[in-house]
Amino acid sequence: MNRLTKLLILVVSMIGIVQSVWFIGLVIPIDYLSKMVLQTVQTNVDWIMILALVGSVIVGFVAIMAIITILVAPRKADKIVFRSANGRLSISKKSRGKIA
């Protein structure tokens, strides 16, 4: 995975985590978060709070999994080496020239 792809996934994942926390604070009355969001949209209806919590947990989980994926994903390789009992095979990427 190249650096630009990793950076884009990281940015989208961070936005997802912030969105998840914001959505929980927007719907569920939590003392600390209630001071930062509009208090008129918070509710005490149980099924709405559970739906908001489940949605936020799913978005947060996907964002965390994306961050873990970019941390453990290998770099884009230009050369691959296979080793076996019969010997070694090396494959490398070469630039293609123009064919006339």
Side-chain angles (χ1 to χ4, degrees):
M1 191 179 296
N2 59 19
R3 289 182 183 178
L4 181 61
T5 305
K6 284 186 174 187
L7 179 66
L8 289 175
I9 293 173
L10 180 65
V11 168
V12 170
S13 297
M14 295 306 254
I15 290 171
I17 290 172
V18 169
Q19 177 189 8
S20 178
V21 172
W22 173 80
F23 189 61
I24 288 174
L26 188 66
V27 176
I28 300 172
I30 300 172
D31 187 40
Y32 179 72
L33 289 175
S34 295
K35 296 173 186 172
M36 290 195 276
V37 296
L38 299 172
Q39 297 183 16
T40 57
V41 294
Q42 293 179 344
T43 183
N44 287 326
V45 180
D46 289 337
W47 69 271
I48 294 176
M49 289 193 306
I50 292 170
L51 187 65
L53 186 63
V54 168
S56 294
V57 167
I58 291 171
V59 170
F61 181 72
V62 169
I64 289 170
M65 291 307 295
I67 291 172
I68 290 171
T69 301
I70 64 170
L71 290 176
V72 299
R75 286 186 36 215
K76 191 173 180 180
D78 292 333
K79 184 178 180 180
I80 300 174
V81 178
F82 297 100
R83 292 183 185 91
S84 70
N86 296 331
R88 189 180 118 174
L89 173 65
S90 177
I91 301 172
S92 63
K93 184 167 86 171
K94 292 183 181 179
S95 63
R96 293 192 256 176
K98 290 184 180 180
I99 300 174

